[in-house]
Amino acid sequence: MAGSIDLLRQNAHSPSFFALNRADSGHGADLVDFCIPCNPYFPTPEMFGRLRDNLETILKYYPSDADTITAELCSTLGLNPQTVAMGNGSTELITWIDHLLVRESLCTPIPTFGRWTDQPMETGKRVDMFPLPESRDFALDLESFIRFLRERRSRVAVICNPNNPDGGYVPRQDVLRMLDALVDLDLVVVDESFIDFVDAEPVTSVAAEAAIRPNVIVLKSLGKNFGLHGIRFGYLVANPALAGRIRRALPKWNLNSFAEIVVFLLKEHRAEYRTSLARLAMDRRSMARQLAAMPGLKVFASQGNFILVRLPDEVDGVRLRDFLISEHGVFVRECGNKLGSTSRFLRLVVRPPQDVHRLLNGLSAYLYGTEKAHLISTMPPPDLHGEDQQPYYYQGQHAQHSAQPQTQAPVETLYHSRAG
């Protein structure tokens, strides 16, 4: 996988799955992607079958205009079309938010999604970066954030909830209090690209509030939730004036035919989507427990579909990333190029148990040696059918589990009993 490693070292942003496969035929389609956050359980095989059946039509004909597709999405989600603008991925919407609504400065915590710092800097804006301390597990203290914003006199505030790359979640009532405190700003953006993966509380989104507030935008990413990054579609919710201003700036046909077909399929498959989120939450808990059992790793509580881990002091994340992709066909996100982070952190996407087993095998080989990795590789992935599925709850800003920890899986016992 030498070509893939060269590609990883040449790009500031993680290369695409396509680029990695083109660069080296080593593992090819066998490459397991722990880098790009998506939902492994959705769309369903039936939905993919319908997309295949319609492939010729999808590719040959123009899609409907964005207003038609937006109206169908709003019908499915129970939204007012006048409060929604759909984009060719959330990054298109971030670009237009910056161009149209950010005048001089923007304030955001770091580390966070890179486009919220890079986009305004590319257009000459000042970005006031509020560091999230590792000592507090990257938890966002909203009062401190607001004080920082006031001291810097920023006119736009942005938070990601849950945050990327750590998965930290701010409870809905706390977000609403922040919106109340910042009603005088030009704009407050709550990026909820990963909100559907949260099981911390029954109601999580503030989108309904954004639709009636004067200066709030909530951003959503359908690609991340539905596991369809390649289609490139997302949307925002805001009051009709704000949403309309963004909508008028967008090209009339900015959405493709794949996006149209998927949007019209969603109404029929809402139950399967909810099931996929429950399965992923169970996988997240199991994966976090197994990673936390590895000596020297620190695992941060996450409500996203990814988990942030800190490597032991002597371990370089770049070398580990290169080792995993070349020796085990596992692609991970090393966070050294994220503002507010270092190469000691990896963001690992939540994947099904058999894929996690492969990841653990590669991590063990690098961190502890081949003997332990061999023992792990001979064990079957844990059976998760009996796993506790109760949701998390929140006390203050820190997530805890609502049930007692389960008996350790065999792989965890191995780590503890054989750790050198």
Side-chain angles (χ1 to χ4, degrees), residues 361 364-365 368-378 414 418:
N361 187 35
S364 300
Y368 315 123
T370 55
E371 178 185 358
K372 185 174 292 183
H374 173 71
L375 290 171
I376 294 168
S377 68
T378 61
L414 175 67
R418 302 182 66 90

Side-chain angles (χ1 to χ4, degrees), residues 117-147:
T117 54
D118 297 351
Q119 172 62 40
M121 286 194 292
E122 289 167 6
T123 54
K125 317 291 173 46
R126 188 186 81 235
V127 178
D128 300 322
M129 303 179 200
F130 176 73
L132 298 175
E134 182 189 344
S135 61
R136 298 190 70 250
D137 294 341
F138 298 106
L140 174 58
D141 183 326
L142 287 178
E143 291 184 2
S144 297
F145 175 60
I146 292 170
R147 281 198 302 272

